[in-house]
Amino acid sequence: MPSKQEIRVFAPATVANVACGYDVLGFAIDSPGDEIVVRHSDKPGLQITKITGDGGKLPKDPAKNTAGVAALDLLKHLGMLDHGIEMEIHKKMPFGSGLGSSSASAVAGAYAVNKLIGEPLSKRQLLPFAMAGEASADGAWHADNVGPCLLGGIVFIRSNEELDIAQIPAPKNLWAAVVHPDIEILTKVAREILPKEIPLENATQQIGNLGGLICGLIQEDYGLISRSIHDVIAEPRRQKLIPDFYKAKRAALSAGALGFSISGAGPSVFALCEGEEIARKVGIAVEKVFSAIPVNCQVHVSKINPRGVHVVEG
C-alpha cells in the first residue's frame, strides 16, 4: 500500500468534435475542471462521502455516480472491490455545458483510485474504465472528451468501439477561447436533430476538413488549420439551439480567430487562435454578443492543456 493516504486530483474540461471531428477529435483546456479526493478507509468497499458544487443533483451511491462507476469498474477489474476507499467529489463545472463535465468526473474517479492503490495501471490503460463511467451518465460511447481529459493535449479517435486513439501534437502558440453561455442544451436533443443520412458531397468535405486540420496541427500550419475548422454536418443544425450563434462566430473571426464552432453538443462555443492576445480579444468579442442578448457567460482562455488529469496538492 502506498505511503500517501490521501490523493487529490484535477480533471480538466475538454472541447469535443473540434468542428469537423464529430465524435473523433477533442482537446483539453486548463480550466474549469473537477476535483476528486480519495483516501483509504477501514470500511470495505467504495463510499462517496461528500459532493460539492452539484446543487444536490448527484447521487452518493457509487453505482449511480459517474465517478463512482468508473472507480468501481477499475476495482472490479483489479479484484479489489472490497478495498476500503472514501471519495469526495468537488464539481467545478456546470452540467450540460458541452465541456465534458461527466467525462471529467469519470476520468478523475478512475485516475484518483488508481493512484491511491499504487498505480497498477497506466493512464492509457484507464481509458475503458473512464469510458464506462461517462457512458453511465449519457449512454454514449465516444472518447472525444474522455481521451483528452485523461491523456491531455489533442486526441484523435480512430475507433470508439475499439478505443483506438492517438495523440496529436499541438502547435506551440495555439490557444483556445472557450465561452460558456448560461443556457441549457440537452445532449439527447442535440443528437436527435442531426441528420440520419449525410450527402456524399458533405461527407467528402468533412473528411477533407478533418484531414486538413490534423495535418495543420502536426505541421504547425495555422493557415491550414484555419481553412479546415469547418463543420458541414452538426453545426448547421445545432446552431439554432444557441442564441445568436452566427453573430458570435462573425465576431470571433473578425477578432482574429482561426476558426469557431460548437464545443461538443453545446451550448459552449470555442475558437482556436494563434497566440494568447488574439484568444483574449476573441473571448471578449464573443462575450459581448451573448451579453447583448442578454445571456450571462463565462470565458476561459487557455493553451491546449498537455497534462490532462493530474494530482494536485492541498
Side-chain angles (χ1 to χ4, degrees), residues 140-155:
W141 187 268
H142 44 86
D144 49 348
N145 287 115
V146 168
C149 181
L150 181 65
L151 301 174
I154 306 170
V155 171

Side-chain angles (χ1 to χ4, degrees), residues 28-50:
I29 58 176
D30 288 335
S31 66
D34 285 348
E35 285 191 5
I36 282 185
V37 181
V38 291
R39 62 183 67 88
H40 295 291
S41 170
D42 293 331
K43 187 177 180 181
L46 174 68
Q47 278 89 40
I48 298 176
T49 57
K50 184 179 183 181

Side-chain angles (χ1 to χ4, degrees), residues 4-144:
K4 187 97 172 176
Q5 294 299 301
E6 181 176 288
I7 302 283
R8 179 184 293 266
V9 307
F10 173 82
T14 46
V15 170
N17 299 340
V18 197
C20 50
Y22 182 78
D23 278 1
V24 299
L25 196 64
F27 64 81
I29 58 176
D30 288 335
S31 66
D34 285 348
E35 285 191 5
I36 282 185
V37 181
V38 291
R39 62 183 67 88
H40 295 291
S41 170
D42 293 331
K43 187 177 180 181
L46 174 68
Q47 278 89 40
I48 298 176
T49 57
K50 184 179 183 181
I51 304 176
T52 65
D54 68 327
K57 294 180 180 178
L58 298 179
K60 285 187 177 178
D61 180 351
K64 297 178 181 178
N65 182 290
T66 305
V69 169
L72 287 173
D73 210 42
L74 170 64
L75 292 168
K76 182 180 179 181
H77 171 77
L78 297 171
M80 298 178 66
L81 280 173
D82 289 336
H83 190 89
I85 297 174
E86 292 181 357
M87 176 183 287
E88 295 179 7
I89 301 170
H90 302 288
K91 291 296 295 181
K92 299 186 178 183
M93 294 174 62
F95 296 102
S97 59
L99 295 175
S101 178
S102 58
S103 296
S105 291
V107 166
Y111 181 79
V113 168
N114 188 60
K115 276 281 185 183
L116 185 73
I117 60 179
E119 212 165 353
L121 300 184
S122 68
K123 260 191 174 187
R124 189 173 283 262
Q125 288 173 321
L126 293 176
L127 184 60
F129 309 108
M131 287 289 292
E134 188 200 34
S136 72
D138 64 11
W141 187 268
H142 44 86
D144 49 348

Side-chain angles (χ1 to χ4, degrees), residues 44-290:
L46 174 68
Q47 278 89 40
I48 298 176
T49 57
K50 184 179 183 181
I51 304 176
T52 65
D54 68 327
K57 294 180 180 178
L58 298 179
K60 285 187 177 178
D61 180 351
K64 297 178 181 178
N65 182 290
T66 305
V69 169
L72 287 173
D73 210 42
L74 170 64
L75 292 168
K76 182 180 179 181
H77 171 77
L78 297 171
M80 298 178 66
L81 280 173
D82 289 336
H83 190 89
I85 297 174
E86 292 181 357
M87 176 183 287
E88 295 179 7
I89 301 170
H90 302 288
K91 291 296 295 181
K92 299 186 178 183
M93 294 174 62
F95 296 102
S97 59
L99 295 175
S101 178
S102 58
S103 296
S105 291
V107 166
Y111 181 79
V113 168
N114 188 60
K115 276 281 185 183
L116 185 73
I117 60 179
E119 212 165 353
L121 300 184
S122 68
K123 260 191 174 187
R124 189 173 283 262
Q125 288 173 321
L126 293 176
L127 184 60
F129 309 108
M131 287 289 292
E134 188 200 34
S136 72
D138 64 11
W141 187 268
H142 44 86
D144 49 348
N145 287 115
V146 168
C149 181
L150 181 65
L151 301 174
I154 306 170
V155 171
F156 173 70
I157 300 96
R158 185 201 67 80
S159 169
N160 280 294
E161 290 73 22
E162 299 169 33
L163 291 182
D164 187 0
I165 68 174
Q167 287 180 282
I168 299 169
K172 296 179 186 67
N173 205 27
L174 187 66
W175 286 70
V178 181
V179 181
H180 172 242
D182 286 339
I183 59 174
E184 184 177 0
I185 294 177
L186 298 176
T187 302
K188 184 173 182 288
V189 173
R191 282 189 172 264
E192 284 174 351
I193 64 174
L194 295 181
K196 299 295 183 285
E197 295 182 353
I198 300 166
L200 181 60
E201 181 182 356
N202 285 0
T204 303
Q205 188 177 353
Q206 193 88 337
I207 291 167
N209 285 337
L210 178 58
L213 178 55
I214 291 172
C215 289
L217 292 168
I218 292 171
Q219 297 170 5
E220 298 199 27
D221 184 336
Y222 292 99
L224 182 54
I225 291 170
S226 182
R227 295 193 299 276
S228 303
I229 308 176
H230 296 286
D231 174 14
V232 299
I233 296 173
E235 182 186 301
R237 292 156 180 85
R238 287 179 166 174
Q239 55 83 20
K240 66 185 75 173
L241 302 175
I242 302 171
D244 282 351
F245 171 80
Y246 280 118
K247 189 179 286 187
K249 184 168 187 170
R250 287 193 296 271
L253 296 175
S254 295
L258 297 169
F260 181 90
S261 194
I262 302 167
S263 177
S268 291
V269 293
F270 78 96
L272 288 180
C273 307
E274 184 178 0
E276 180 180 5
E277 183 180 351
I278 293 175
R280 296 200 179 281
K281 285 181 181 176
V282 168
I284 291 169
V286 174
E287 182 180 27
K288 283 182 179 177
V289 172
F290 288 127

